[in-house]
Amino acid sequence: MTILSSLSPRSLAAPESGIVELVNYARGRDGLIPLWVGEGDLPTPDFISQAAQESLRAGETFYTWQRGIPPLREALSRYYQRHFAKTLSPDNFYVTGSGMQAIKLAIEAVTSPGDEMVFLSPAWPNFAASAELSGVRAVAVPLNFEDGKWQIDIGRLEAAITPKTRALFVNTPSNPTGWTASHEDLKAILALARKRGLWIMADEIYALYYYNGVRAPSFLDVMEADERILFVNSFSKNWSMTGWRAGWIVAPPEIGQVLENLIQYSTSGVAQFIQAGAVAALDRGDAFVAENVAKATRSRDLFCDALIATNRVETLKPDGAIYAFLKIDGVTDARRAALDIVDKTGVGLAPGTAFGEGGSLFMRACFLRDPRQIAAAAERLAGYIAAL
Ligand SMILES: Cc1ncc(COP(=O)(O)O)c(C=O)c1O
């Protein structure tokens, strides 16, 4: 037995990310316009970094609250009041070391090995991979794609539920499709979860990146107090903090001690200076988020309009999130096409093959960048498509 083969089958089965494969292939090339990962082109604003620096200078370098420092949980409560008109207590919030960790902890909290978790596909690959790593079968339910638009089929979702299903994982607005659940969709999913006794894991991290109103419809709008819903969230996208690794969970206070224990036995809490930065982001960052959303709106329009004009790309402008998910006429192998596109045009895209069932013919582009760069990327891609 080799050292490698003596590892657990579960860890050996964890897939390599199909997005990272592309990044590793062409990282740092001259003239590259990287649209492959889900982040903007701006560093974190100064007022957030300064708050973290002040915390470090003040000697806040010790172990701290497992659930998150009280000022951060209070700031989260104010944030939800402002953006969701929802009164939540600091006891509803649990600070995590990223949105990714929030997802992992939510799965740990709700499922046991052998259970099933149903999710909508195409999807960010980490939902399914982290469930599988916990011994949970991730069951994909494809969204419908018609005339460039993605839609949920509630009947199909219900048909995927078995006696082993413990949770429905719902990401809206969705990475990568931009599909955004309407209030009717959310009510139908919630009714289904109640009827079948399931948890909902709600990933609404892109709620403020919404192009048909102030923010996307949320389960918070349609739920009663203390339902079986775990919201996973992140500081990454709203405040350009992808490198900070900070997120949070919204949960019923009744399960607080269990979540605290799970945090204890994974990271034992998030560094206090990171949390100090997060407080500044929440309390003083609304204008920055609005700028990010305005930039995404402009870049989305530029990018999608230019590609739709080729008449070779099937897509509508997404309702939410920060991605265009493009079906390019003539592309039959998205992974090979992404390698070819980055070689020939210097535009880095994520291949739809990385997003599972229903995504294999698509390419994902993150448009949260300077509109001039986005226009240049669209022009290069349009040239590539014309030559196909
Ligand atoms: C839908 C969704 N959820 C969660 C995350 C995780 O974000 P992070 O781990 O950077 O907080 C991402 C990142 O791309 C995402 O797209």
Side-chain angles (χ1 to χ4, degrees), residues 299-312:
S299 292
R300 173 194 81 134
D301 288 347
L302 273 172
F303 192 75
C304 293
D305 286 343
L307 289 171
I308 291 168
T310 64
N311 288 324
R312 302 277 307 277

Side-chain angles (χ1 to χ4, degrees), residues 83 208-209 238-239 285-297:
H83 292 280
L208 301 189
Y209 288 100
N238 281 0
W239 298 279
D286 282 355
F288 180 77
V289 179
E291 273 169 38
N292 253 346
V293 175
K295 180 158 92 176
T297 310

